């Protein structure tokens, strides 16, 4: 049999969770359906980022929000790193703006990754603007 895609497996688990009447991110009951939480999606995003598959990583973030899971700063950092590896500085800047709109506190990893994106993509103008915005 053909292996299920990540999205298909997520949909199956989420459907099982809903059928069992459980919250998506609640711990699994013994013998009950498995639960998916933010850490599963973050791990998936990190894995896709290491493979320079940033569009799929963005899709995983979209899946996460569709399943009403709240991405945290670590999830966003994983996605920023995926953009950095793929030299997708425009996507990284859009993501940084989205992250700021969430109200989450940005951390040193966030700022370092955004600077890394700028350096990798040789976008010096954006690097300077980003540094000025921090002051």
């Amino acid at each position: 049999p053909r292996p299920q895609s990540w999205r298909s497996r997520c949909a199956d688990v989420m459907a099982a969770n809903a059928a069992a009447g459980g919250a998506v991110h609640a711990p699994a009951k013994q013998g009950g359906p498995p639960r998916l939480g933010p850490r599963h999606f973050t791990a998936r995003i990190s894995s896709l980022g290491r493979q320079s598959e940033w569009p799929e990583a963005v899709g995983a973030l979209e899946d996460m929000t569709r399943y009403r899971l709240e991405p945290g700063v670590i999830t966003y950092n994983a996605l920023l790193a995926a953009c950095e590896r793929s030299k997708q500085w425009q996507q990284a800047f859009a993501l940084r703006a989205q992250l700021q709109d969430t109200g989450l506190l940005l951390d040193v990893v966030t700022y370092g990754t955004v600077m890394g994106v700028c350096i990798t993509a040789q976008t010096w103008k954006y690097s300077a603007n980003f540094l000025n915005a921090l002051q």
Side-chain angles (χ1 to χ4, degrees), residues 25 42 45 51 74 87 91 114 131 133:
H25 56 283
T42 301
I45 290 167
Q51 299 167 40
I74 295 171
K87 299 180 182 173
Q91 178 69 32
V114 171
L131 288 174

Side-chain angles (χ1 to χ4, degrees), residues 6 14 17 24-26 35-43 64 69:
W6 165 256
M14 295 302 180
N17 289 343
V24 171
H25 56 283
R35 305 284 190 214
L36 289 179
R39 66 186 174 97
H40 296 99
F41 286 89
T42 301
M64 188 176 184
L69 295 171

Side-chain angles (χ1 to χ4, degrees), residues 1 11 19 21 26-27 31 38 50 54 56-57 63 70 76 80 86 94-95 116 123:
R50 284 189 296 275
W54 70 270
E56 290 83 0
D63 289 344
E70 293 290 326
Y76 280 101
L80 284 167
S86 301
L95 185 62
T123 54

Side-chain angles (χ1 to χ4, degrees), residues 1-80:
R2 187 175 152 194
Q4 276 187 304
S5 71
W6 165 256
R7 284 188 173 166
S8 178
R9 287 192 308 256
C10 286
D12 289 350
V13 170
M14 295 302 180
N17 289 343
V24 171
H25 56 283
K29 295 177 186 170
Q30 192 168 11
R35 305 284 190 214
L36 289 179
R39 66 186 174 97
H40 296 99
F41 286 89
T42 301
R44 177 69 177 157
I45 290 167
S46 292
S47 174
L48 290 165
R50 284 189 296 275
Q51 299 167 40
S52 297
E53 295 181 10
W54 70 270
E56 290 83 0
V58 170
L61 180 71
E62 291 167 356
D63 289 344
M64 188 176 184
T65 57
R66 186 173 55 245
Y67 294 129
R68 294 182 303 239
L69 295 171
E70 293 290 326
V73 71
I74 295 171
T75 304
Y76 280 101
N77 287 345
L79 190 50
L80 284 167

